[in-house]
Amino acid sequence: MKNRITGRSAFLALLKDEGITHLFGNPGTTELPIMHALKDHPDLTYVMAMQESLVVAMADGFSRASGKLVACNVHVAPGLGNAMGSLFNAKFTGTPLILTAGQQEQGHGLTEPVLYGPLVQMAEPLVKWAVEVTRLEDLPRIVRRAAKVATTPPTGPVFISLPGDILNSEAGIELGRATRVDTRVKPSDEALQALAARILKAERPVIVTGDEIVKSDALTEAAELAVTLGAPAYQSSTPYGAHFLSESPCFMGAIARVQKLARETLAPYDLIIALGGDPLRMSVYSEIDPLPDGLDIVQVGLVDWDLAKNYGAEIALKADVKETLRALIPVLKAAGGGALEARAKQGVAALASKNWTVKRKALVEQISKAEGTSPIDPDWLALQVVEAMPDNAILVDEGLTSSRQMIALRPHRDRYGYHALASGGIGWGLPASVGVSLANPQRPVVCFSGDGSAMYSIQSLWTAANHKLPLTFVIVNNGGYRIIKQRLLAFHGDDHYVGMDFVDPPVDFTGVAKSLGLEAVRISDPRELKGALRSAFSRPGTKLIEVVVNNSVN
């Protein structure tokens, strides 16, 4: 005899068996069956966010900071609509996420009641798979398949519509078992030999890394490859994670997301070794192509869409980055012999005067000249945040213009120590930092956010306070959308900034934070900044520091 179980309890049991520890949500009427079942699953932590876009962003942050499958539940058609911006972000970063929404009972839905909508069709453009459960007996198979699809590279979100009659019904069903597809594959011996031969043929190779370095835990191997070749290494033009060990002697920084600058950076080289991701994703249109003429590419990664997506690759290998590098480096050393070793030493020595560490020292000296400047210089603020943070802290970065130097100042030392906005859809940082903190309760978290971004998701502060997280929000207040002002001036020569300021009336972030349960302080005097940061970062609890900075456009 099969055990009889309700759909709502089976759903939660299935999530837990798939490794879910936190369910992020915002409850509505169609989600009440799940809320009703939670009392029978006390080991599943429910994390309530005050709007559905925040729900998904928190889950996204949790997954990016842990590498784990996550689950979140939103409210029927309007709730799914609210969540779409954050779902776009999760699709961009390939976050393994099960998104569910309560749906009207199947017979009732046919009458198109208030809040009803075609949930599957709404979700489909932004997920790997979307489905509605039509029989309770199918629920286990659907949840198991969703978890498998979400976690199999290229990873990404999936969507399940849960009608109320399915959740409330009861039947004898088997829950099945979880499956994970092992994709940590390396290329064939022949492919490795060909790749090694092509790399050794290059006179001036350059390494460009993307997010698969984080997903495959290949930071150490990527740095070893650079030293083995004596080749410079850059993060790709979308450096939204810890994509290379900053203090490696071969690390040079990130490629600019500006076509002209990217082209100038890559011009000296004759081969790009692209590891895990699109190496040259740009932002604003330019007639200049970022790839210099005649520069060849070899590429390794599991996201086949990114392999030779915009530029043909001489060699493109669909394989796990870590496993490939583990196998490739010995092949390179054996084939290159003493000549490679000598060339590598020479290459590393040549980089010693211009690598990330050296450039950081010069940058710190330059920025430090702004100490004591009032209003506070935003670059100086970023430096103070970096220097005051505990060594084991995690940084969630959505400072945009105010964090333009952040990657150049704060070293990447582990795969989960840095997370930044990826897709460009602002408002991700505050809720994502809540998820990051929940995933890493033993590490302090700092969220560095611009004021414009913060206003998209300010309700996240309540969830952080509710869970008493070791999380400090630093809100950079320049009174408007500085990045849009910069682009209006640069692209159109126009300094008439309509709809880009919020100074009449000004936003009181300190007051908002206090109203949502946080300890908060406002800093405008540069002499008070260092002490405020050290104090906040050294104490437990959830805090907000609002820092008023120079609002000049350039």
Side-chain angles (χ1 to χ4, degrees):
M1 290 289 293
K2 298 177 180 178
N3 292 327
R4 293 189 65 83
I5 190 171
T6 61
R8 57 184 179 263
S9 190
F11 172 67
L12 295 179
L14 287 162
L15 289 184
K16 291 193 300 182
D17 194 57
E18 291 288 348
I20 301 298
T21 57
H22 294 70
L23 178 61
F24 298 84
N26 180 269
T29 304
T30 51
E31 290 71 51
L32 288 179
I34 292 173
M35 308 310 293
H36 176 50
L38 280 169
K39 70 177 186 297
D40 297 324
H41 298 269
D43 51 337
L44 185 60
T45 300
Y46 187 81
V47 182
M48 196 276 279
M50 291 182 166
Q51 207 257 16
E52 287 88 355
S53 65
L54 314 187
V55 168
V56 175
M58 288 178 188
D60 184 21
F62 188 101
S63 180
R64 282 181 58 179
S66 64
K68 296 178 180 178
L69 176 70
V70 290
C72 48
N73 189 49
V74 300
H75 179 46
V76 80
L80 179 58
N82 286 339
M84 295 296 271
S86 291
L87 190 58
F88 173 82
N89 292 340
K91 177 180 185 292
F92 188 100
T93 54
T95 301
L97 180 151
I98 298 176
L99 173 63
T100 59
Q103 176 62 294
Q104 306 282 358
E105 290 78 3
Q106 292 175 97
H108 186 45
L110 183 63
T111 69
E112 297 191 357
V114 174
L115 300 176
Y116 176 80
L119 301 185
V120 170
Q121 293 93 317
M122 289 172 63
E124 276 180 328
L126 296 179
V127 297
K128 291 182 68 179
W129 182 51
V131 66
E132 183 167 284
V133 185
T134 58
R135 297 192 315 152
L136 175 55
E137 291 80 3
D138 295 332
L139 180 64
R141 177 169 288 131
I142 286 173
V143 174
R144 299 300 191 187
R145 183 182 299 174
K148 188 239 354 178
V149 169
T151 56
T152 302
T155 57
V158 296
F159 174 77
I160 304 173
S161 171
L162 298 171
D165 55 311
I166 300 294
L167 294 175
N168 287 321
S169 60
E170 184 177 321
I173 56 175
E174 291 286 352
L175 297 186
R177 63 178 299 166
T179 300
R180 293 294 182 270
V181 179
D182 187 345
T183 58
R184 298 190 68 84
V185 296
K186 62 183 179 183
S188 67
D189 291 341
E190 293 80 4
L192 282 170
Q193 292 289 344
L195 179 59
R198 179 62 186 90
I199 291 173
L200 292 173
K201 179 183 174 183
E203 296 180 0
R204 300 176 308 281
V206 60
I207 297 168
V208 181
T209 60
D211 191 55
E212 286 188 61
I213 292 289
V214 174
K215 287 186 170 66
S216 68
D217 193 15
L219 280 165
T220 300
E221 288 76 11
E224 184 182 354
L225 175 67
V227 171
T228 298
L229 298 175
Y234 291 86
Q235 287 188 257
S236 75
S237 52
T238 49
Y240 54 84
H243 300 159
F244 205 88
L245 294 174
S246 306
E247 293 156 318
S248 163
C250 295
F251 186 57
M252 306 302 291
I255 294 175
R257 200 160 58 244
V258 177
Q259 287 86 336
K260 181 177 183 294
L261 298 179
R263 189 180 182 93
E264 291 173 355
T265 297
L266 295 172
Y269 308 111
D270 63 354
L271 180 69
I272 292 178
I273 305 169
L275 301 177
D278 180 354
L280 292 173
R281 187 189 291 268
M282 294 292 112
S283 180
V284 179
Y285 169 77
S286 170
E287 293 181 355
I288 299 173
D289 197 292
L291 184 72
D293 298 336
L295 180 54
D296 291 324
I297 300 174
V298 295
Q299 196 167 4
V300 179
L302 284 172
V303 181
D304 49 0
W305 181 258
D306 281 340
L307 295 174
K309 180 172 67 177
N310 293 317
Y311 303 101
E314 191 172 338
I315 297 175
L317 301 179
K318 184 176 181 179
D320 179 78
V321 174
K322 185 184 185 82
E323 294 303 317
T324 299
L325 294 182
R326 278 178 167 175
L328 175 64
I329 291 170
V331 174
L332 285 168
K333 289 180 177 179
L340 174 61
E341 187 176 353
R343 191 175 83 168
K345 288 181 179 178
Q346 184 178 6
V348 172
L351 296 173
S353 62
K354 55 185 178 182
N355 61 18
W356 181 90
T357 302
V358 171
K359 288 190 282 190
R360 184 191 188 277
K361 182 179 179 181
L363 181 61
V364 168
E365 291 177 359
Q366 174 191 330
I367 291 175
S368 296
K369 295 175 183 177
E371 182 171 6
T373 301
S374 184
I376 293 170
D377 178 81
D379 290 341
W380 186 74
L381 165 62
L383 176 61
Q384 303 318 304
V385 170
V386 167
E387 293 189 338
M389 288 175 63
D391 288 342
N392 68 331
I394 300 172
L395 177 62
V396 178
D397 180 12
E398 198 183 337
L400 301 182
T401 59
S402 297
S403 61
R404 62 176 184 162
Q405 303 289 5
M406 193 63 81
I407 287 179
L409 291 171
R410 187 170 190 269
H412 301 325
R413 291 172 175 159
D414 71 274
R415 65 196 288 212
Y416 296 137
Y418 177 80
H419 307 279
L421 180 66
S423 72
I426 67 173
W428 170 87
L430 266 65
S433 68
V434 174
V436 168
S437 186
L438 286 165
N440 295 272
Q442 304 307 315
R443 297 179 68 173
V445 175
V446 176
C447 177
F448 189 75
S449 174
D451 50 357
S453 295
M455 285 307 297
Y456 274 65
S457 50
I458 198 69
Q459 311 99 304
S460 306
L461 302 182
W462 182 89
T463 305
N466 177 249
H467 287 267
K468 299 176 175 57
L469 299 177
L471 170 57
T472 301
F473 299 94
V474 179
I475 306 296
V476 187
N477 187 344
N478 60 28
Y481 296 126
R482 185 184 186 208
I483 191 170
I484 303 302
K485 292 180 182 180
Q486 288 177 338
R487 291 181 174 181
L488 182 67
L489 184 62
F491 302 153
H492 299 278
D494 184 357
D495 62 357
H496 184 56
Y497 305 125
V498 177
M500 302 176 195
D501 290 297
F502 25 95
V503 294
D504 185 19
V507 178
D508 180 4
F509 287 95
T510 302
V512 172
K514 290 179 178 178
S515 75
L516 293 172
L518 273 67
E519 172 191 327
V521 62
R522 186 175 192 264
I523 302 293
S524 58
D525 186 339
R527 294 171 297 182
E528 299 175 357
L529 181 61
K530 293 182 180 182
L533 292 171
R534 284 196 299 267
S535 174
F537 296 162
S538 65
R539 293 181 289 108
T542 312
K543 299 164 286 288
L544 181 140
I545 302 174
E546 176 187 1
V547 184
V548 181
V549 300
N550 190 318
N551 65 358
S552 64
V553 174
N554 293 318

